[in-house]
Structure formats: structure tokens, C-alpha cells
Amino acid sequence: MKDIIVLLLIVGSAYVLIQIMQKKPILPWREPKIKGSYKTEEEEKPVRKISAKNRQKELLRKTEELEKEIDEDISIPFKKMFPEIESFSEHMIKSKGNNFSMVAEVMPVNYFLLDEEEQERVDNIFETWIAQFEYPVRIYLQSRYIDLTEQIEHIESTMGTQENLYHKLEEYGQIMVSNLKAWQNEMPRYEVKRYLIFDIMIPSKDVKVEAEGDFEARLYEKAFTELHRRVMSAQRQLRKSENEVELLTSEGIAEVLYYSFNRKKALKNRFRDVFDKEQMASFITADQSVQKIVSVKGAIEEYERENKEIYTKEEAREENKEIESREELSIK
């Protein structure tokens, strides 16, 4: 009897040891433990359902945080592309060391709607253009928020000027305007602007002038002539693939610069408003009453009259001094 008990103890001990070594449960009817399968107290709590409204708020919050991180570095590439800018003039960017840059916007063609043969033609034209020039050309892509303000204003003005407009059509236009505004404000959406940048450095020794004061004018003229020739060459070549190339004026370059450093603000404080609303005007452009205009005009006339009287008195005093000096010379 004792031998049977000892044998059972040995067999049981060996079984327990083997199960432990194999990381299996000692009791065979229990499910084996899987590492990481047990939930914590926090995980065992019932999952709280998130409403669609709260989910949208959370998504907008995360989107704003991501945009903030992106906007902090969005202007760095532009700074690196145009270091030490001195001025914008004659449709060019002038940098230190007589370096000039001319910017042209490229209107894209919908490449993926073309068939294989048309895509091949676009590729061949672009490759041919690249192989032709031996001067530096840079490509700049700028991401902007989609702004539908002009389109919305055009629809509203058209609806306002039309007479005897069918009520169903007017209702459709109002719904379209409200949908466009909601679509634009619901989530940030972007569009990509494509630019070609042509650079040139004009050595001072290559600028021949007759007078010393003509150097700056001759420098700009020489830089503009060469850069404009390069832009026209790109325009003629890329037009074959339906890519229109438009030279940016000084105002257009300023707009690119404005969107580079005011990426988020540009949607509300639009660049066009600076000119349309005369924000850069050196005089008051707000509506004024007739009395106010008359009083200001009278003050200006009075100021001019006083200055004229003072000037007349000064002239008379100078004439008297001249007469007295002549009389003294004649006496001597």
C-alpha cells in the first residue's frame, strides 16, 4: 500500500513539473493562460459609447493640432529657396549679390483622365523641354486652403441681378450656396499651386552704363530680358501639352509670399481684400456724410490759403532785403 502511495506521489510530482515547464494548466479542464490575454480593471469596465457629435469634435481637435504643427514649418522651404531677399520689383525677386528670380505659374492638365497615348505625349514634351535648357529652373509646389469665396459671391450676385427668377431655381441657388459654405467650413481642404522659378546672377562687370546713376536701371533691364526669354521658351514648349505658363507680376509674387507665411489666416484675411477694400490706402475710404466732406474740404482750403499767405510774406521780405542790399552797395 505504501509503495502505491509513493508511486502516485512520484507520478503526480512529475506531472506537475512537466505541466509547469510546458506552461500549461495543472488541472487539465482549465483553459491555458495566454500572455496578455487577461484584461486589466480599466479594460474590464464597460466601453462608453462616443456620440457622433463628440467624435467629430475630437477629430477637429486632432486636425487643428496637426495643422498647427504643419504651419510652424510651412514657411521654412520658402525661406530656404529665397535667402536674403532685398526687394520685389519689375516682376522679379532681387536677392543679395545681384541675384534675380522670376516666377511663373503652371496650369496643370488632368493627367489621369488622359489615355495612354496622350499621357505619353505629355511626358515627351516635358522631357524635351527639360533637355533643352542649360540654366537653373526650380519647381515650387504650394499647398493652400481651398477658397470658394469668389464663386459664392458670383452666384449670389447673379441671383440678385436676375429679374423674374423662377422660385425653384432661386431655391436651388440658395441651397447650393449654403452647401458650398458648409463644405468649405466642415473640414480643411487643400489645392496645390505649381510654380516654375527661373534664377540668374548678373555680374556687375557685365553691366555697361554711360552714367553712374544708370547702373541699377540697366541691371534690372538685363536681368528681366534674359529671364523673360526663359519664361517665354517654357510657355511655348509646355503649351503643346496644354500646360499654360503665366508670368507672375510683382503683385502675384507678393500673393505667393503672403500665402507662404499666412497659410491659415489667408482663408479669412484674403489677399485680394488688401486691394479690393483698399486696406493699403493712405487716405480714408469709408463712407462719410456731406457735411463731413465739406468741413474737411474747407479745412484743406484754409490750410492752403494760410501757407500761400506765409509764402507771399516770405517772398516780400526777401525782396525788401535784396532792395536794401542794392541801396547799400549804391551808396558805397
Side-chain angles (χ1 to χ4, degrees), residues 159 164-176:
M159 291 171 56
N164 301 325
L165 190 65
Y166 185 56
H167 67 92
K168 288 290 184 182
L169 187 59
E170 184 178 0
E171 182 180 353
Y172 173 77
Q174 293 173 353
I175 294 174
M176 179 186 291

Side-chain angles (χ1 to χ4, degrees), residues 172-187:
Y172 173 77
Q174 293 173 353
I175 294 174
M176 179 186 291
V177 169
S178 62
N179 289 339
L180 287 175
K181 291 180 179 179
W183 182 83
Q184 180 173 275
N185 298 327
E186 182 180 356
M187 285 289 290

Side-chain angles (χ1 to χ4, degrees), residues 147 258-259 262-274 277 279:
D147 185 11
Y258 179 82
Y259 278 96
N262 301 278
R263 189 163 178 262
K264 293 189 69 175
K265 298 178 181 177
L267 191 60
K268 294 183 179 179
N269 303 324
R270 301 170 63 246
F271 179 79
R272 294 295 176 187
D273 293 341
V274 176
K277 298 182 180 180
Q279 295 178 0

